[in-house]
Amino acid sequence: MSERSERTREHGLSDGEAGSGAHGKIDVSIVLPVYNEKGHLGQEIDRIRAAMDASEFSYEIIVIDDGSNDGSGDALRQIDGIRLLQFLTNRGSGSARKYGTRASRGDIVVWTDVDMSYPNDLIPELVREMEGYDQVVGARTSEEGTHKAFRVPAKAFIRKLASYLVQTPIPDLNSGMRAFRKDVALQYVSQLPPGFSCVTTITLTFLAHGYTVRYWPITYSTRAGESKFHWASDTRRYLLQVIRMTLSFDPFRVFLPIGFLFTFLGLGKLIYDLADGDFRVAINTLLIFLVAFQIFVIGMLADLIGRATRATHEVQPAAGYTRDVPPTFPPGHGARRSEGARRAEEVLR
């Protein structure tokens, strides 16, 4: 066995499909991305472990050290009972969550942070809320992050835009604490971006494909350590990711309003030309109609491409209630089958 394989197994992850089925299925996999969180790692992991030990769920804790340079990696190696994957360079929290999800063995995957801001002692309750749902998001009731004067209005605008694009109210678009079905998430995990907007992506992806998402109110505390969120660049990424996903799943939600806007502008300009220009139509009026036509065509092409490349098979959504009954056969069906089987045996003889 190679030195690399020995190190990998030492930290709880097997080669290839890291840990998939090696120890059988369990209930919950808790994925923790870590980047420079040395001062409170042990306290937060102990809090999660105590809550899960007191619950009815089997579980595992998967910690992804995303290239920490403050000694977090060395501290994590001293903590027993966790599966540990350490990157040598910082790849982003989205990459950490993506690889942790792929490595998980649980039917339900929980994402949360280790910065003391989320109520991780309530993870068992979060998982219980999954009954009948495909994903449960811990919806924060307050904003405790840095740069609140910029973050709050920017996040409110992006949240309203996302709610319009998926036609579903979204009280918290980018909460870092959530639980979801692994079999559903694995269909789309390759689409997750490497940065903070991965939590936005997983929410919108579930909603866009008809899976149920529940929002469970949680308290949000002031984080420990230094925030990794950059309000300008990360807000821009959030906005672009919302628009990008909408163009992928439902492009008409973007192109139709813009196309109709240019159409009405063209009609207004046309009426003005006819009334003020002795029934002569200006060139710029025709250009406005041409722009509207092109936008409609681009929207139709984007929709056709999206439908053509969409997966042909999707995991069944969760149901709040199910009932199963055996199939019904016509009278004498069993006797006819027995007679047919007898004749087949006679032919074989």
Side-chain angles (χ1 to χ4, degrees):
M1 182 183 297
S2 67
E3 180 183 355
R4 179 179 179 181
S5 297
E6 291 177 353
R7 290 200 308 268
T8 305
R9 283 172 171 78
E10 177 187 352
H11 297 309
L13 297 175
S14 63
D15 298 325
E17 289 293 324
S20 62
H23 302 282
K25 283 285 188 179
I26 60 176
D27 295 326
V28 182
S29 294
I30 303 169
V31 177
L32 305 176
V34 171
Y35 180 62
N36 292 347
E37 306 283 358
K38 178 183 177 181
H40 42 273
L41 279 173
Q43 180 183 353
E44 188 69 293
I45 291 175
D46 287 344
R47 180 165 68 135
I48 294 172
R49 183 179 286 133
M52 296 303 297
D53 286 343
S55 73
E56 68 275 22
F57 303 112
S58 59
Y59 73 96
E60 64 178 353
I61 299 177
I62 305 174
V63 182
I64 314 296
D65 178 20
D66 192 25
S68 297
N69 53 24
D70 69 337
S72 294
D74 294 332
L76 286 169
R77 295 189 186 193
Q78 304 305 314
I79 300 176
D80 295 327
I82 62 172
R83 299 175 63 197
L84 177 60
L85 174 63
Q86 292 184 288
F87 294 143
L88 298 181
T89 59
N90 181 254
R91 297 168 177 259
S93 62
S95 293
R97 289 185 170 99
K98 174 166 62 177
Y99 295 123
T101 301
R102 285 176 173 167
S104 64
R105 295 189 291 252
D107 293 324
I108 294 175
V109 175
V110 172
W111 285 358
T112 189
D113 293 331
V114 292
D115 56 12
M116 309 298 291
S117 59
Y118 290 102
N120 290 334
D121 54 320
L122 301 181
I123 288 178
E125 295 185 36
L126 180 74
V127 175
R128 295 185 192 106
E129 295 293 326
M130 284 284 297
E131 184 68 31
Y133 290 89
D134 299 298
Q135 182 175 177
V136 175
V137 177
R140 296 164 293 184
T141 56
S142 63
E143 174 62 62
E144 298 294 338
T146 57
H147 307 290
K148 292 177 65 173
F150 299 99
R151 287 167 60 117
V152 172
K155 290 172 65 174
F157 170 75
I158 297 174
R159 187 172 64 250
K160 291 293 184 182
L161 175 62
S163 299
Y164 161 74
L165 295 175
V166 297
Q167 291 294 282
T168 303
I170 302 176
D172 192 343
L173 181 61
N174 63 327
S175 171
M177 184 180 186
R178 61 191 61 227
F180 52 83
R181 290 172 52 194
K182 177 185 175 181
D183 56 350
V184 177
L186 286 181
Q187 301 175 113
Y188 316 113
V189 73
S190 61
Q191 302 174 14
L192 295 180
F196 286 102
S197 55
C198 69
V199 292
T200 301
T201 303
I202 201 72
T203 301
L204 294 179
T205 300
F206 272 54
L207 291 172
H209 289 89
Y211 292 103
T212 52
V213 177
R214 181 176 185 179
Y215 299 93
W216 187 58
I218 61 171
T219 57
Y220 187 61
S221 306
T222 303
R223 65 157 291 139
E226 184 180 351
S227 175
K228 316 302 187 303
F229 184 89
H230 302 284
W231 71 268
S233 59
D234 287 319
T235 298
R236 178 179 59 84
R237 292 192 188 99
Y238 276 123
L239 179 60
L240 292 178
Q241 186 65 13
V242 169
I243 297 174
R244 183 182 297 115
M245 292 192 63
T246 304
L247 293 177
S248 300
F249 298 138
D250 191 3
F252 278 134
R253 300 296 305 173
V254 174
F255 287 105
L256 278 185
I258 299 175
F260 280 122
L261 174 62
F262 277 94
T263 299
F264 291 136
L265 286 175
L267 289 174
K269 186 62 166 54
L270 177 62
I271 293 173
Y272 174 80
D273 290 344
L274 295 177
D276 193 60
D278 195 21
F279 290 92
R280 288 179 297 181
V281 179
I283 297 297
N284 54 12
T285 303
L286 298 177
L287 288 175
I288 294 175
F289 280 115
L290 179 60
V291 169
F293 174 75
Q294 289 178 327
I295 290 174
F296 284 127
V297 170
I298 293 172
M300 293 178 63
L301 289 175
D303 185 68
L304 289 173
I305 293 173
R307 291 178 183 275
T309 57
R310 194 167 298 169
T312 57
H313 173 74
E314 291 183 337
V315 174
Q316 184 80 3
Y321 174 79
T322 59
R323 172 186 289 170
D324 195 13
V325 296
T328 302
F329 298 101
H333 178 79
R336 288 198 298 271
R337 288 190 60 190
S338 299
E339 179 66 20
R342 184 183 63 79
R343 291 178 180 177
E345 290 177 358
E346 291 177 354
V347 171
L348 290 175
R349 289 173 187 168

